[in-house]
Amino acid sequence: MGVTKVLRDAREALNDAGLRGSFLVRDLDTGDELGIDAEVEFPIASLVKVPLAVATLERVVRGELDAATPIVVQPGRATVPGPTGLSRFRHPATVALDDLLYLSTAISDGAAADALFDLTPPAAVTAELRRLGYDGIAVRHLMRDLTDTPAERFAPAEAHLAHSLAIAAATAGHGHPVPQLDISRANAGFARAFVDLLQGLWRPTTIHTSVAARVRELMGDNVLRQRLAPDFSSDASRWSSKTGTLLNLRHEVGVVEHADGQVLAVAALTESRVPAVVQPGAEALMAHVARTLRDQLRMY
């Protein structure tokens, strides 16, 4: 099957399923890549926890922070479905900085991430990315801002209404009255920017080697494996990743390391036009599209 047909079929499948997506798969050693709208910008939700981990660990390497520092984290007291870890605690907890990195990255704990943002604010994370040479990801707000959306204003049985609002209110230029969905105000990025960052973590140049190794480890420990993992994990491959979810947005970025030595970075950022909270078909399709691009690259 030719590349043109592969891309055309993938676009049609996404459109038929009510999805808009930004995809990119790259061989980290040859530089060969295949993508769909890889420069289209999206709000990135919890994907921001990867650059947060990089910025925090770079400061640890420079001696500005100590990974063993105990930090008191106030309970998140989350009551809506979704948040994990400290976000659901009812009492204060004392956690070492390095363990907050694990909770933030591997478990996608928003309260742990915000404790790290207290040490390295969003603007400082963006500045650290720029220092390291990564320009396509903007970090602007805390994770707790993601729990102040229309979804929190509806009862669980009416959550689909929040998705309807998120879908209908978007502008042609990707603006949005919900600030977390407006690319000019939200934490934002695109598939190519995340693949570039993954390349820097698996093939370090500007990122410190110990920082890259720790972030790779944290992404390898990711417990959220319902999205791309079923199509990329096997006895002959290792899948390390981070997911991001907010209203009608479903993302995942990661790296698949094959037993034959080939290493591929994958970014899949999607937006659904279907007003439903649970969309296993969307999860499966985005994984199928990403795998199809991967399979096409592995043919060469």
Side-chain angles (χ1 to χ4, degrees):
M1 186 182 298
V3 170
T4 300
K5 179 171 173 51
V6 167
L7 296 178
R8 183 177 66 247
D9 289 352
R11 289 178 184 276
E12 290 177 356
L14 290 166
N15 185 63
D16 290 346
L19 292 175
R20 180 175 73 98
S22 176
F23 291 78
L24 187 66
V25 180
R26 178 188 298 165
D27 185 312
L28 294 186
D29 294 309
T30 68
D32 294 337
E33 61 182 35
L34 197 58
I36 298 172
D37 296 331
E39 286 81 31
V40 173
E41 196 170 14
F42 284 82
I44 57 176
S46 285
L47 296 185
V48 75
K49 293 167 184 172
V50 177
L52 171 61
V54 172
T56 301
L57 287 164
E58 285 284 334
R59 294 190 64 201
V60 170
V61 167
R62 293 199 296 269
E64 298 171 10
L65 298 173
D66 184 344
T69 299
I71 297 171
V72 177
V73 183
Q74 297 302 315
R77 296 192 177 92
T79 58
V80 297
T84 57
L86 296 169
S87 300
R88 305 200 75 86
F89 277 28
R90 298 182 178 182
H91 308 282
T94 301
V95 186
L97 185 151
D98 194 40
D99 293 327
L100 288 173
L101 283 166
Y102 167 75
L103 292 172
S104 171
T105 311
I107 300 180
S108 204
D109 182 340
D114 279 345
L116 296 171
F117 272 131
D118 286 342
L119 300 171
T120 308
V125 174
T126 297
E128 191 67 24
L129 290 176
R130 302 297 179 266
R131 184 187 71 82
L132 294 167
Y134 300 100
D135 297 326
I137 300 169
V139 184
R140 300 186 175 105
H141 61 76
L142 305 177
M143 298 310 300
R144 67 177 66 102
D145 295 331
L146 299 184
T147 62
D148 184 22
T149 72
E152 286 69 49
R153 293 168 173 77
F154 290 98
E158 299 176 325
H160 64 283
L161 297 176
H163 287 250
S164 296
L165 290 172
I167 294 163
T171 70
H174 304 156
H176 208 286
V178 177
Q180 300 91 330
L181 297 177
D182 185 328
I183 59 170
S184 68
R185 293 182 286 171
N187 297 330
F190 47 91
R192 185 174 301 282
F194 273 96
V195 166
D196 288 344
L197 183 58
L198 293 172
Q199 174 123 25
L201 290 167
W202 263 258
R203 300 292 184 266
T205 53
T206 60
I207 298 174
H208 194 281
T209 55
S210 67
V211 171
R214 179 59 175 147
V215 177
R216 293 196 303 268
E217 179 183 27
L218 292 169
M219 294 179 67
D221 289 338
N222 180 20
V223 301
L224 302 176
R225 307 185 68 80
Q226 81 281 12
R227 196 160 287 167
L228 268 59
D231 282 77
F232 285 90
S233 298
S234 73
D235 288 347
S237 63
R238 173 178 171 80
W239 175 243
S240 305
S241 71
K242 182 72 194 76
T243 59
T245 309
L246 176 65
L247 291 171
N248 61 325
L249 303 175
R250 290 170 177 81
H251 309 324
E252 186 159 358
V253 301
V255 170
V256 56
E257 300 172 83
H258 292 283
D260 62 9
Q262 189 175 37
V263 181
L264 300 166
V266 181
L269 283 63
T270 70
E271 176 186 76
S272 176
R273 299 191 302 273
V274 179
V277 177
V278 179
Q279 296 187 46
E283 309 267 359
L285 179 59
M286 64 185 290
H288 173 73
V289 169
R291 186 187 67 191
T292 299
L293 299 181
R294 186 278 309 269
D295 291 347
Q296 188 71 19
L297 271 185
R298 277 178 66 77
M299 291 175 59
Y300 296 101

